[in-house]
Amino acid sequence: MLTTRRRFVKKILALSSYALSLSFSQVSLANWIANHFSRQTINQSITQLFPDQELQTSNRIRLQLPNTAENGAVVPITISSTIPDVDTLYILSEKNPVPLIAQFSIDPDLETYLGARFKMQETCDVIVVLKAKDQYYQARQKVKVTLGGCGG
Amino acid sequence: MSTIKIRSKRFADHTLIRTLIAHPMETGRNKNDATGELIPAHFIQTLTLTHNGKVMSQCQMGYGVSKNPFFSFKIKSAKAGDTIGISWQDNLAYSDTLEHIIL
């Protein structure tokens, strides 16, 4: 009994130190902004991401999206834009449980171009927001989803 | 084997980088068909693209990104022999890194 208890204590110590090291490495390496990815509505997301900002609709953002997505689990998107000095790019899907899909920082050596695949819960608008020189530009396109891809 | 695949193609004015990562991207809302239990969330949170060690793009993502995420980027000035690096980290603190040399 004593040996097993000893072993048990040892195991617990080892496990907890492992868990601690894991959580520390997570903090130090990934500064993931959990707030941006909480479950909320699109309006809450937009207010949180772009407080007091006007999102100008721009025709200089080109979105390549399918009009109908047969499978909401894989919706391909290609974004390109001629707006200069873009430093951040956001992809949002209006009716997803977590509207913000991803945000990318864009280095000046990188073209304002991005290809990705994402999930859509149901038919709604896909919103792409570009931040350039503290100005926000948006483009949106409706995608019809036949089969939702967010599970549940 | 690495979970990351990187392909690059040089064009006159840019280099196209395409990357595919093998990752389940579980939302935490899907159920295991056999047991009916929820599959815990498991998704990539951050992804970094580097070019010769310089950070080109830092990506934050949620589970709205598809399973086995695919991304493509265009680097303005890259030449043969340059190194492209992709690294990711997920919510369970798994991570992976791969370097690719442009041909």
Side-chain angles (χ1 to χ4, degrees), chain A residues 31-42:
Chain A
N31 26 24
W32 189 62
I33 310 164
N35 277 347
H36 289 185
F37 294 95
S38 47
R39 281 174 160 228
Q40 52 195 358
T41 64
I42 182 73

Side-chain angles (χ1 to χ4, degrees), chain A residues 22-23 25-26 29-34 37 39 72-75 78 96-98 100-121 149-152, chain B residues 13-14 16 20 24-27 29-30 43-47 49 54-77 89-93 95:
Chain A
L22 270 187
S23 59
S25 66
Q26 199 170 12
L29 284 170
N31 26 24
W32 189 62
I33 310 164
F37 294 95
R39 281 174 160 228
V74 184
V75 185
T78 310
N96 274 25
V98 177
L100 180 63
I101 287 158
Q103 69 178 66
F104 295 82
S105 71
I106 307 273
D107 187 89
D109 286 340
L110 207 62
E111 273 185 35
T112 312
Y113 170 91
L114 183 81
R117 291 175 190 159
F118 64 99
K119 298 174 197 163
M120 283 182 79
Q121 166 90 330
C150 283
Chain B
D13 58 340
H14 67 265
L16 180 69
L20 190 65
M25 297 301 283
E26 277 298 340
T27 61
R29 301 175 70 206
N30 287 315
F43 56 99
I44 297 179
Q45 292 184 323
T46 54
L47 178 131
L49 169 77
K54 187 186 171 210
V55 174
M56 286 282 119
S57 182
Q58 263 189 327
C59 169
Q60 304 250 336
M61 63 181 106
Y63 43 72
V65 173
S66 292
K67 182 181 174 183
N68 297 335
F70 163 86
F71 296 104
S72 59
F73 303 91
K74 282 181 183 174
I75 293 180
K76 278 178 190 165
S77 55
Q89 182 158 37
D90 67 21
N91 63 329
L92 304 180
S95 62

Side-chain angles (χ1 to χ4, degrees), chain B residues 4 6 9-10 12 14 16 18 25 35 38 46 59 61 64-65 78-81 87 89 91 99 102-103:
Chain B
I4 309 173
I6 308 175
K9 195 170 185 193
R10 280 190 297 140
H14 67 265
L16 180 69
R18 289 176 301 156
M25 297 301 283
T35 61
L38 283 178
T46 54
C59 169
M61 63 181 106
V65 173
K79 48 189 192 304
S87 57
Q89 182 158 37
N91 63 329
E99 290 201 334
I102 298 175
L103 295 176

Side-chain angles (χ1 to χ4, degrees), chain A residues 72-89:
Chain A
V74 184
V75 185
I77 184 170
T78 310
I79 304 154
S80 54
S81 162
T82 52
I83 297 171
D85 303 316
V86 172
D87 55 30
T88 320
L89 189 156

Side-chain angles (χ1 to χ4, degrees), chain A residues 14-97:
Chain A
L15 270 178
S16 56
S17 62
Y18 176 64
L20 263 180
S21 70
L22 270 187
S23 59
F24 272 119
S25 66
Q26 199 170 12
V27 167
S28 61
L29 284 170
N31 26 24
W32 189 62
I33 310 164
N35 277 347
H36 289 185
F37 294 95
S38 47
R39 281 174 160 228
Q40 52 195 358
T41 64
I42 182 73
N43 290 335
Q44 286 169 329
S45 250
I46 286 181
T47 342
Q48 188 182 44
L49 285 167
F50 322 109
D52 305 323
Q53 295 291 337
E54 195 200 342
L55 302 179
Q56 309 171 26
T57 304
S58 171
N59 53 13
R60 288 187 293 169
I61 306 172
R62 189 157 166 263
L63 301 185
Q64 276 173 276
L65 271 166
N67 287 326
T68 310
E70 302 238 326
N71 180 1
V74 184
V75 185
I77 184 170
T78 310
I79 304 154
S80 54
S81 162
T82 52
I83 297 171
D85 303 316
V86 172
D87 55 30
T88 320
L89 189 156
Y90 303 84
I91 307 174
L92 298 111
S93 170
E94 210 174 16
K95 288 187 182 163
N96 274 25

Side-chain angles (χ1 to χ4, degrees), chain A residues 114-131:
Chain A
L114 183 81
R117 291 175 190 159
F118 64 99
K119 298 174 197 163
M120 283 182 79
Q121 166 90 330
E122 52 186 296
T123 301
C124 65
D125 279 3
V126 173
I127 308 165
V128 169
V129 178
L130 299 185
K131 176 176 173 257

